[in-house]
Amino acid sequence: MIGTDVSVAKKFLNSGQLVAIPTETVYGLAGNALQESTVLSIFKAKNRPSFDPLIVHISSTDWLTKLASEVPTKAKVLMDAIWPGPLTFILPKTDLVPDIVTSGLSYVGIRMPRHPVTLSLLKNLDYPLAAPSANPFSYVSPTTAQHVEDQLGKKIPYILDGGDSTIGLESTIISFENPQKPSILRFGGITQNEIESLIGPVSISLSNNSNPSAPGQLDKHYATTKKTYLVNQPYELLRFNVNVFCIGYGEALFEYNLSPTENLDEMAQQLFKALRLADDSDKTEVAISLVPDDGIGKAINDRIRRACH
Ligand code: TXA
Ligand code: MG
């Protein structure tokens, strides 16, 4: 059921059930992060392999010190500047965090989301929320309550509707396994430039199938069920025939135009919606153009490449 009542969401969560929650990035499939049986049911509902760890969501830094045994100075600087917001920190975990949350790793992902509804929910709970994106494993992430309803509606009792996700791509993930040299594991809502302007140079260690040290994030991810072609520039989409759902940007007409004015934030916000529409359309295949590779464009292109793998 879709609704807007935080107290209903709280009631289900307190009884150990799962609730979909809105965030500024994408919708999450949330449950009590401190309760093993609940966390296990998150993996089950998503069909997610147990080696792919979950992010823990908090609304106050009081929880930070309970969940992470150490918070390096550079991490603190980033948190002060960006939280609540689309940046997830990988930090050494305390014993309070069940091993199932981190897939057995000694590090945990923590994020404070920037969505008023979910922040008020979290403030009303006595525990943080473990929440992966609320999509079946390897499918496109949801950016509306209806997206969640379409795929997981029968599996969970409540979807808390907070409107369309404003950013539309998942959080950026930064690891502090080496506190002197933090490393970006996933491009997302916060750009590398924003991070480096605050703490200096970081390294990049994007995960893929051949880089198992960073779990999850398989090459084939964010994918529709249809064959999806990749082109470098929107004009190249014009060569596809009428059976192909073309996703582009700029002046030309496509089945879906991510941003006629070529605005990268708008493209990020529209991408997952476009992929879902392509999948639900009566076209047999999909084609999509990469976008300019600067700022949040890097995160958009990462998702587009994985959707086409
Ligand atoms: O924006 C987001 O981050 C959304 C919203 C709901 O907050 N959540 C999200 O979760 O994208 P999910 O589960 O779809 O992606 C989480 C990814 C994992 O696949 C993994 O790559 C990384 O975060 N991750 C989580 N914990 C980790 C850890 N301890 N070490 C390394 N990577 C970790
Ligand atoms: Mg996901």
Side-chain angles (χ1 to χ4, degrees), residues 246-257:
C246 291
I247 303 172
Y249 65 89
E251 284 182 350
L253 278 181
F254 304 109
E255 272 71 28
Y256 202 100
N257 192 321

Side-chain angles (χ1 to χ4, degrees), residues 1-306:
M1 185 176 64
I2 299 181
T4 55
D5 194 335
V6 170
S7 61
V8 173
K10 176 181 172 179
K11 197 190 74 193
F12 284 120
L13 289 165
N14 279 348
S15 71
Q17 300 191 70
L18 307 185
V19 168
I21 55 166
T23 86
E24 79 282 28
T25 59
V26 299
Y27 274 70
L29 179 61
N32 182 344
L34 307 183
Q35 199 168 64
E36 261 179 61
S37 55
T38 300
V39 176
L40 182 65
S41 70
I42 297 178
F43 282 92
K44 278 200 183 140
K46 267 192 70 118
N47 244 330
R48 182 181 176 109
S50 58
F51 60 75
D52 193 358
L54 307 183
I55 294 171
V56 178
H57 296 71
I58 60 176
S59 61
S60 127
T61 44
D62 294 349
W63 272 107
L64 185 63
T65 43
K66 293 182 190 150
L67 302 170
S69 58
E70 200 196 318
V71 184
T73 314
K74 286 183 178 179
K76 279 208 191 82
V77 170
L78 286 174
M79 285 169 189
D80 285 346
I82 291 164
W83 272 5
L87 186 59
T88 296
F89 294 80
I90 307 296
L91 298 169
K93 83 177 200 64
T94 62
D95 290 342
L96 188 64
V97 182
D99 288 332
I100 184 173
V101 171
T102 64
S103 302
L105 300 171
S106 54
Y107 285 75
V108 59
I110 305 177
R111 172 164 116 80
M112 189 186 292
R114 186 170 63 215
H115 193 293
V117 173
T118 287
L119 283 174
S120 93
L121 172 65
L122 282 164
K123 289 199 165 82
N124 269 285
L125 301 173
D126 305 327
Y127 44 84
L129 291 173
S133 51
N135 51 282
F137 181 64
S138 88
Y139 196 73
V140 182
S141 298
T143 54
T144 70
Q146 189 60 46
H147 289 166
V148 184
E149 170 72 22
D150 291 345
Q151 291 183 306
L152 299 178
K154 293 204 169 65
K155 293 188 172 174
I156 54 175
Y158 200 62
I159 299 164
L160 187 56
D161 191 350
D164 289 17
S165 297
T166 51
I167 292 181
L169 293 182
E170 297 83 352
S171 61
T172 299
I173 300 179
I174 186 162
S175 170
F176 284 83
E177 284 189 49
N178 178 350
Q180 304 316 320
K181 189 81 183 156
S183 175
I184 293 181
L185 303 187
R186 175 174 79 181
F187 285 127
I190 292 286
T191 65
Q192 183 180 352
N193 270 350
E194 290 171 272
I195 290 173
E196 293 189 327
S197 70
L198 291 159
I199 59 166
V202 298
S203 55
I204 310 289
S205 171
L206 299 188
S207 35
N208 54 44
N209 291 352
S210 52
N211 177 17
S213 69
Q217 296 298 305
L218 304 179
D219 287 342
K220 184 179 169 349
H221 215 121
Y222 313 106
T224 65
T225 57
K226 290 176 184 167
K227 184 164 178 50
T228 304
Y229 300 94
L230 180 68
V231 301
N232 289 312
Q233 298 287 342
Y235 72 82
E236 296 174 58
L237 293 168
L238 302 173
R239 69 178 155 88
F240 288 97
N241 69 36
V242 292
N243 294 320
V244 180
F245 190 103
C246 291
I247 303 172
Y249 65 89
E251 284 182 350
L253 278 181
F254 304 109
E255 272 71 28
Y256 202 100
N257 192 321
L258 294 174
S259 174
T261 59
E262 309 197 8
N263 176 312
L264 282 170
D265 290 329
E266 186 180 21
M267 295 186 212
Q269 212 256 335
Q270 295 294 317
L271 177 66
F272 290 157
K273 193 179 270 183
L275 287 170
R276 279 170 186 264
L277 281 174
D279 222 12
D280 296 342
S281 73
D282 48 18
K283 309 277 182 187
T284 51
E285 295 170 318
V286 184
I288 184 165
S289 161
L290 291 170
V291 306
D293 206 50
D294 28 68
I296 200 170
K298 277 196 172 34
I300 302 173
N301 285 336
D302 169 80
R303 304 306 189 273
I304 291 176
R305 286 201 182 88
R306 291 180 203 264

